[in-house]
Amino acid sequence: MAASTNVTWHDLSLTKEFRRVQNAHHSFVIWFTGLSGSGKSTVANELANRLYKDGISNYVLDGDNIRHGLNNDLGFSEEDRKENIRRIGEVSKLFVDSGQVVLTAFISPFKEDREIVRNLLEVDEFIEVYVKCPIEECENRDPKGLYQKARNGLIKDFTGIDSPYEEPENPEFVVETDRFSTEECVEQLVSYLTERNFI
Ligand SMILES: Nc1ncnc2c1ncn2[C@@H]1O[C@H](COP(=O)(O)OS(=O)(=O)O)[C@@H](OP(=O)(O)O)[C@H]1O
Ligand SMILES: Nc1ncnc2c1ncn2[C@@H]1O[C@H](COP(=O)(O)OP(=O)(O)O)[C@@H](O)[C@H]1O
């Protein structure tokens, strides 16, 4: 039996529209996707700081952190990654409902799972950002030494080595972290968000 059987949805009188008016800004998800070491966390954190300074209420959901708590029961099989992204999609939707901007930094390697999250949200609530960086450069950076471990057979199912990464086909935005500095990537994103009246 599905968990939702015999459960009734309650509409809340304090809607996200009221919260957006109070916050004086739109609420939406900036969904960063890319290989390990591509720069998702770095760019998301810098953008969060920038939005905060501009008075925009926001929160970063980061793969490593979420896997310490909410998702500490999940590993890196295809099934677990799918469940990881499903839960984060739902959590992101709650943040949007609360009137905040949420920045997510998950590898989210599968197109289908990213599309599921996109479809959970309204069209003006989901911005997919492909953090593009060649795997050679990610491996060269190897900020956590994980590529080295994967090459030595100490980690299996590592994205880009022995687990796939499906590149976004039509992301709303691409940042190329091997060509531009973190600051430049953040400026490019701020321009995108401003031009389209997200902020
Ligand atoms: N097998 C394997 N493959 C990829 N990544 C691994 C793996 N094992 C551990 N790690 C560390 O976990 C971080 C990725 O977690 P995510 O929740 O973003 O992954 S996923 O979206 O469910 O694919 C990832 O963080 P980032 O480097 O920030 O991407 C790694 O630090
Ligand atoms: N333009 C850039 N944007 C983001 N990170 C960059 C950039 N150039 C170099 N880096 C470096 O690349 C690494 C990216 O690591 P991280 O942000 O943890 O990636 P991810 O979250 O995708 O695993 C960091 O050491 C960061 O300093």
Side-chain angles (χ1 to χ4, degrees):
M1 191 187 296
S4 56
T5 308
N6 298 327
V7 175
T8 310
W9 179 267
H10 289 274
D11 280 326
L12 302 176
S13 54
L14 191 49
T15 63
K16 70 181 163 192
E17 284 73 25
F18 282 113
R19 295 181 195 279
R20 285 170 175 172
V21 170
Q22 185 176 53
N23 286 348
H25 60 75
H26 188 47
S27 63
F28 54 95
V29 181
I30 307 176
W31 188 277
F32 292 94
T33 173
L35 293 168
S36 177
S38 59
K40 303 179 295 298
S41 303
T42 304
V43 175
N45 276 288
E46 283 309 309
L47 180 58
N49 283 326
R50 174 64 188 276
L51 295 177
Y52 175 80
K53 282 186 193 133
D54 290 347
I56 296 172
S57 179
N58 73 82
Y59 196 76
V60 177
L61 297 173
D62 189 285
D64 277 321
N65 297 353
I66 296 291
R67 280 173 173 280
H68 273 100
L70 177 67
N71 290 351
N72 69 5
D73 56 329
L74 301 176
F76 291 91
S77 66
E78 200 169 319
E79 194 188 12
D80 279 7
R81 289 182 197 252
K82 190 177 180 64
E83 175 61 10
N84 185 36
I85 300 310
R86 188 194 71 78
R87 290 185 199 170
I88 298 311
E90 294 288 350
V91 171
S92 298
K93 191 179 161 90
L94 295 177
F95 272 91
V96 170
D97 225 40
S98 79
Q100 297 196 70
V101 174
V102 51
L103 302 91
T104 66
F106 296 83
I107 296 177
S108 42
F110 302 116
K111 263 183 228 154
E112 189 187 18
D113 299 336
R114 298 191 298 261
E115 285 311 299
I116 288 171
V117 180
R118 179 187 289 280
N119 291 325
L120 267 181
L121 296 151
E122 307 284 334
V123 279
D124 64 346
E125 292 177 347
F126 184 82
I127 300 167
E128 185 178 27
V129 177
Y130 178 24
V131 183
K132 191 172 178 189
C133 185
I135 190 156
E136 296 75 18
E137 173 61 15
C138 295
E139 192 163 355
N140 196 33
R141 292 176 181 169
D142 205 4
K144 300 169 203 152
L146 297 177
Y147 282 94
Q148 186 68 56
K149 282 190 181 166
R151 290 288 182 202
N152 291 337
L154 299 173
I155 307 179
K156 63 180 185 63
D157 298 331
F158 196 78
T159 307
I161 308 285
D162 54 355
S163 183
Y165 178 77
E166 298 173 357
E167 286 196 8
E169 275 164 10
N170 276 309
E172 273 70 20
F173 204 74
V174 181
V175 285
E176 295 182 70
T177 65
D178 62 322
R179 295 185 55 213
F180 300 99
S181 69
T182 305
E183 293 69 28
E184 286 168 327
C185 292
V186 168
E187 278 316 307
Q188 290 165 10
L189 278 161
V190 169
S191 298
Y192 173 87
L193 296 171
T194 309
E195 279 160 20
R196 283 165 183 75
N197 293 319
F198 279 100
I199 56 173

